[in-house]
Amino acid sequence: MKQVIYFMKRLTSFGGFILYANLIGIVFLSLIEGIGIILLVSLISLSGILQTKTGGISSLTPFIKLLQDLPEALSLPAILIVYVLLSVCQNVCQRKLTIRNVRIQTEFIRQLRVETYEALLNANWSFFVKRRKSDLINFLTMEIARVHSGTNICLEFLSSAIFTSVQICFAFWLSPSITVLVVFCGFILSLFSRKYIKKARKLGSQTSELAQNYLAGITDQMNGIKDIKSNTLEKAHLSWFITLTKHMVDEQVEHIVISTSSQLFYKITSAILIACFIFLSVKMFNAKPQQFLFIIIIFSRLWPRITGIQSSIEKISSLTPAFKKLMKLQIECKEALETINEERIKDDLKPIRIQNGIEYKQAYFRYNQSVAEYALADLNLFIPSKKMTAIVGKSGAGKSTLIDLLMGLLQPEKGQVLLDGIPLNGDNVNAWRRALSYVPQEPFLFNVSIRENLLLVEPRANEKQLWEALEFAAAAEFVKKLPQGLDTHIGDRGVRLSGGERQRLVLARAILRKPEILILDEATSALDTENEAKIQEALEQLKGTTTIIVIAHRLSTIRNADQVIVLDQGQIVQTGGFSQLERERKGIFSHLLRNQMKASL
């Protein structure tokens, strides 16, 4: 239960004075209920059912005597009026405590959501490379929801424990022997209920695993719905969905089986214990009838509290895996914390301007420390400022890794990346990213309007600047033809647009930022020849004002590059101008160029 204790500490620390005030309020409510028991016994005494002279309950004698001294016409109304007032007071206080508890609980869960999301955002790129996005979404949705439920049960457990403790004190004051016996039976009951707690914890782990697999599966399938339909894979994926949901139903039913089994056990145990008490009282202790009534009163008040605590422990155990997973995720995020200083939080942080260029100096990087092979090895490279540099090579040559190092998403295991001779590290990486615009090979757009997608990177841009960026990216013409123009909603990931249109919008968004360095990761691959030529012409105009870095598979697009870098197996094998490398007939660049020319014929 370490995870439960951890979150209870977090909860009490977050709730502060209000939570402690609520706990005091619970003690007050318990006292009111205890007084209600006394009034109930007093009412029975006045009715003649319970005679205090022979009842042996000396602690009640002063209260009953006080009532008996009242005129007969006033005693019953007095008790009933006090009882009603206590009931009203109890329910009003209970309502206020419930509202305040819900507020504490929901604000606490909100803080956990924010902390977890912030931890994810601050984790380095390597953290995300090793994990499925759907698993992280599962943490922020289903697992947080289970933690929310567990926090509610923990609060209920804490309230029940305090309430029960006060009730035990009242019961002990009224009848020590019966109370000790009830508490002892509750302790014995907790030993027998351990098997239910273990089963609940095991099922809780299965719930987390099934939820994770469910979300991962449907996320992948919705992302690949076009492939599923075009390849007639509906039946296979429906079969997977039916099987998984059947497991989920079986798991939920098993939860109910365990819960109802434990409740059945508690109720049967209660009946057996009451019967045993009455039998022993009559046969062995010659108990009076009024004592039977008192046994029932104590059992009816105290025993449900004890069994309720047992039930809460079972529920908490079933949700413990969610606590554990959330704790583990937060720890992993902290271990993968991106080394960026406090300057990152400043909105007015000025971007870095480079005068000479970017240099890789004996840089090494590998994704897995246990593997000897490096993704990039002994990388020595200079990218001049205000020039166009192209990076080419076969798939897996290390092109994307080189760019990730340049953007500070990854840090070299050995060596350095220098900006005008200054190392790129946690002190300046955020200011450096303010100077970058990155256009990925797979363009990503949000499910909002074109205008909102563009304003994400430059919220203060005016209408003229938006259209200038669209003109640059050869996107203005098709945007003007859309029903609502800039205010047209483009669907999930821009699904209502063609691949080329999405790519041009992402390029326009990058240009709108007026970057110091523009990085294009095969950014024209989805464009037709005409639009590609327009963008190439626009890029030519940026030379001398912007540093352009292009990862290119279509080599015809980089003929005007000032420098071409050829990578193979994580190392630079050729460097030079396009024409120079084309003439090196035995080089990899010339080989790649010939293969592309053959493929285009």
Side-chain angles (χ1 to χ4, degrees):
M1 300 295 285
K2 290 182 180 179
Q3 292 79 22
V4 178
I5 295 173
Y6 167 77
F7 274 98
M8 287 302 295
K9 287 181 178 179
R10 290 282 305 275
L11 181 61
T12 52
S13 175
F14 175 82
F17 173 78
I18 296 177
L19 181 60
Y20 291 122
N22 279 11
L23 296 180
I24 294 173
I26 292 170
V27 174
F28 176 69
L29 291 177
S30 303
L31 292 173
I32 291 177
E33 185 157 331
I35 295 171
I37 295 176
I38 295 174
L39 289 174
L40 180 62
V41 174
S42 302
L43 184 61
I44 295 172
S45 175
L46 287 176
S47 66
I49 298 175
L50 178 64
Q51 299 297 327
T52 57
K53 292 182 179 179
T54 58
I57 311 171
S58 57
S59 57
L60 291 180
T61 302
F63 298 98
I64 297 174
K65 188 175 185 304
L66 177 63
L67 293 170
Q68 288 176 338
D69 290 340
L70 292 173
E72 186 175 348
L74 296 178
S75 58
L76 181 59
I79 293 176
L80 294 177
I81 290 172
V82 173
Y83 177 79
V84 170
L85 291 175
L86 287 175
S87 179
V88 170
C89 180
Q90 182 181 11
N91 284 283
V92 169
C93 291
Q94 184 66 60
R95 175 181 175 274
K96 290 186 177 180
L97 290 177
T98 300
I99 293 173
R100 288 161 72 178
N101 272 341
V102 168
R103 183 175 295 277
I104 291 171
Q105 175 190 335
T106 52
E107 287 291 341
F108 174 67
I109 292 300
R110 175 180 174 273
Q111 185 186 56
L112 285 181
R113 290 181 196 273
V114 172
E115 285 180 359
T116 305
Y117 190 62
E118 184 179 18
L120 286 171
L121 289 178
N122 292 339
N124 57 40
W125 178 242
S126 297
F127 174 86
F128 294 97
V129 170
K130 299 173 185 176
R131 287 164 176 80
R132 294 186 301 187
K133 288 184 289 185
S134 60
D135 291 346
L136 301 179
I137 294 171
N138 181 62
F139 278 116
L140 291 170
T141 53
M142 295 185 180
E143 294 303 306
I144 284 282
R146 295 184 68 213
V147 172
H148 185 279
S149 178
T151 306
N152 180 47
I153 295 171
C154 283
L155 279 174
E156 290 179 357
F157 170 78
L158 188 61
S159 299
S160 295
I162 294 174
F163 208 96
T164 303
S165 298
V166 176
Q167 293 297 302
I168 288 174
C169 293
F170 260 107
F172 188 83
W173 177 53
L174 296 174
S175 180
S177 58
I178 295 177
T179 304
V180 169
L181 192 56
V182 171
V183 173
F184 176 75
C185 291
F187 174 74
I188 298 299
L189 183 68
S190 67
L191 298 179
F192 284 105
S193 66
R194 291 177 64 184
K195 66 176 183 178
Y196 297 113
I197 294 173
K198 290 180 179 179
K199 288 181 179 179
R201 186 181 296 116
K202 183 179 179 181
L203 274 178
S205 297
Q206 292 179 13
T207 300
S208 292
E209 185 176 348
L210 285 171
Q212 183 171 310
N213 292 337
Y214 177 79
L215 185 59
I218 60 174
T219 300
D220 289 344
Q221 290 175 27
M222 291 301 104
N223 286 336
I225 191 65
K226 188 173 183 179
D227 290 332
I228 291 173
K229 297 193 72 63
S230 60
N231 292 291
T232 64
L233 299 175
E234 293 93 340
K235 186 175 181 180
H237 287 283
L238 179 61
S239 177
W240 167 87
F241 190 83
I242 290 172
T243 302
L244 182 62
T245 51
K246 177 63 167 60
H247 290 323
M248 295 173 75
V249 169
D250 293 341
E251 181 263 339
Q252 290 298 318
V253 170
E254 194 169 351
H255 263 298
I256 296 300
V257 169
I258 291 176
S259 176
T260 53
S261 296
S262 62
Q263 290 300 313
L264 179 63
F265 172 71
Y266 298 149
K267 289 176 182 179
I268 292 176
T269 302
S270 300
I272 293 173
L273 287 174
I274 291 176
C276 290
F277 286 159
I278 293 176
F279 179 81
L280 292 174
S281 298
V282 172
K283 297 297 182 181
M284 299 182 63
F285 301 110
N286 297 318
K288 301 296 186 293
Q290 61 268 24
Q291 291 177 320
F292 297 157
L293 179 61
F294 204 73
I295 290 172
I296 294 173
I297 291 174
I298 290 182
F299 258 87
S300 64
R301 292 282 184 170
L302 195 55
W303 191 251
R305 299 287 181 185
I306 294 175
T307 56
I309 289 175
Q310 297 291 333
S311 179
S312 294
I313 293 175
E314 285 179 29
K315 293 177 182 178
I316 291 172
S317 297
S318 70
L319 296 168
T320 296
F323 287 128
K324 187 175 181 180
K325 278 179 172 288
L326 190 64
M327 286 176 60
K328 184 179 178 182
L329 177 67
Q330 290 185 347
I331 291 171
E332 289 175 352
C333 287
K334 289 178 181 178
E335 291 174 350
L337 182 66
E338 196 169 27
T339 53
I340 297 177
N341 65 8
E342 292 300 321
E343 293 295 315
R344 63 174 297 133
I345 64 176
K346 293 185 178 179
D347 292 331
D348 59 347
L349 183 64
K350 293 182 179 180
I352 291 177
R353 304 297 180 186
I354 56 172
Q355 301 299 321
N356 299 319
I358 306 159
E359 182 182 4
Y360 294 78
K361 191 173 182 180
Q362 295 179 329
Y364 288 77
F365 181 82
R366 55 183 169 178
Y367 288 95
N368 191 338
Q369 301 293 323
S370 61
V371 177
E373 186 177 355
Y374 283 88
L376 291 174
D378 195 23
L379 190 68
N380 290 283
L381 168 64
F382 183 77
I383 299 175
S385 175
K386 315 303 182 187
K387 302 289 184 179
M388 181 183 206
T389 297
I391 302 168
V392 301
K394 300 175 183 177
S395 295
K399 302 185 294 296
S400 295
T401 305
L402 185 149
I403 293 299
D404 289 344
L405 287 174
L406 184 145
M407 293 190 293
L409 295 175
L410 300 175
Q411 295 295 321
E413 184 177 325
K414 293 186 288 185
Q416 291 178 313
V417 177
L418 305 172
L419 311 175
D420 284 344
I422 301 172
L424 176 62
N425 53 38
D427 293 330
N428 58 12
V429 68
N430 203 43
W432 173 238
R433 289 178 188 165
R434 294 283 179 97
L436 302 175
S437 276
Y438 173 64
V439 182
Q441 183 175 359
E442 297 181 3
F444 179 82
L445 294 165
F446 293 92
N447 187 14
V448 290
S449 69
I450 293 175
R451 184 189 302 276
E452 289 170 293
N453 269 285
L454 294 176
L455 292 176
L456 282 172
V457 297
E458 193 59 51
R460 291 169 292 186
N462 57 38
E463 196 85 2
K464 180 181 177 182
Q465 291 170 326
L466 293 179
W467 285 108
E468 285 177 351
L470 290 170
E471 289 285 356
F472 177 93
E477 186 177 350
F478 87 81
V479 171
K480 289 176 181 177
K481 293 179 180 179
L482 293 173
Q484 284 82 39
L486 281 172
D487 297 310
T488 301
H489 280 254
I490 56 178
D492 186 30
R493 301 176 67 91
V495 69
R496 298 176 186 172
L497 304 175
S498 69
E501 289 171 340
R502 291 198 298 271
Q503 210 159 35
R504 280 178 276 171
L505 283 181
V506 172
L507 178 58
R509 186 170 62 189
I511 291 298
L512 185 63
R513 196 175 192 179
K514 293 182 170 41
E516 176 80 7
I517 296 94
L518 177 62
I519 302 171
L520 306 174
D521 187 354
E522 197 59 31
T524 60
S525 60
L527 301 182
D528 55 45
T529 305
E530 182 181 354
N531 282 312
E532 183 183 59
K534 290 180 180 178
I535 289 176
Q536 291 300 324
E537 184 180 343
L539 290 176
E540 280 294 310
Q541 298 174 11
L542 291 179
K543 281 187 177 182
T545 60
T546 305
T547 304
I548 304 171
I549 302 171
V550 181
I551 296 179
H553 294 121
R554 194 187 301 174
L555 301 183
S556 60
T557 63
I558 59 170
R559 286 189 176 275
N560 297 327
D562 298 293
Q563 176 181 227
V564 178
I565 309 296
V566 184
L567 287 177
D568 187 43
Q569 296 182 358
Q571 295 183 318
I572 297 175
V573 294
Q574 286 181 284
T575 304
F578 187 96
S579 299
Q580 173 192 342
L581 297 181
E582 185 179 20
R583 290 192 296 269
E584 296 177 6
R585 307 298 295 176
K586 294 183 179 180
I588 290 178
F589 183 83
S590 181
H591 175 72
L592 292 172
L593 188 59
R594 286 195 300 271
N595 286 344
Q596 287 193 5
M597 291 178 66
K598 289 179 183 178
S600 63
L601 295 176

